[in-house]
Amino acid sequence: RLFNPRRWLRHRRLKRNWDSVVPGMSVAEAEGLMGFVFHKDSENTAGRIVYSNHVPDYLPFYLVVDRTTGLIVRRHNIRVLDEPSLGA
């Protein structure tokens, strides 16, 4: 497939925004940076809640949030965002 500049720019913007999401932020802050909503997926007995968003053409974004504080404790790094180039 041919290189698609529009898709590449979207990929770079998502990666830059995702790199700005750090532990200690709220889900609302992460949503503001990413420009989309995270949905609650699950909660475990240790009080951790998993939120995700499935962006078309990319692997899902996952956040782990502490239920007590409501703050992000971890984010799942998406390997596809580290790929050097994307096809069309």
Side-chain angles (χ1 to χ4, degrees), residues 6-56:
R6 199 183 223 172
R7 188 170 175 191
W8 183 83
L9 287 172
R10 177 167 164 71
H11 170 268
R12 299 311 317 157
R13 186 174 66 247
L14 280 171
K15 181 170 178 13
R16 184 181 65 243
N17 293 350
W18 186 242
D19 288 344
S20 298
V21 175
V22 295
M25 287 183 161
S26 68
V27 173
E29 289 171 313
E31 289 173 339
L33 285 170
M34 294 304 293
F36 52 68
V37 177
F38 285 91
H39 304 282
K40 183 178 177 181
D41 279 347
S42 62
E43 184 172 350
N44 67 17
T45 56
R48 299 288 170 94
I49 305 168
V50 175
Y51 288 85
S52 71
N53 182 285
H54 301 260
V55 178

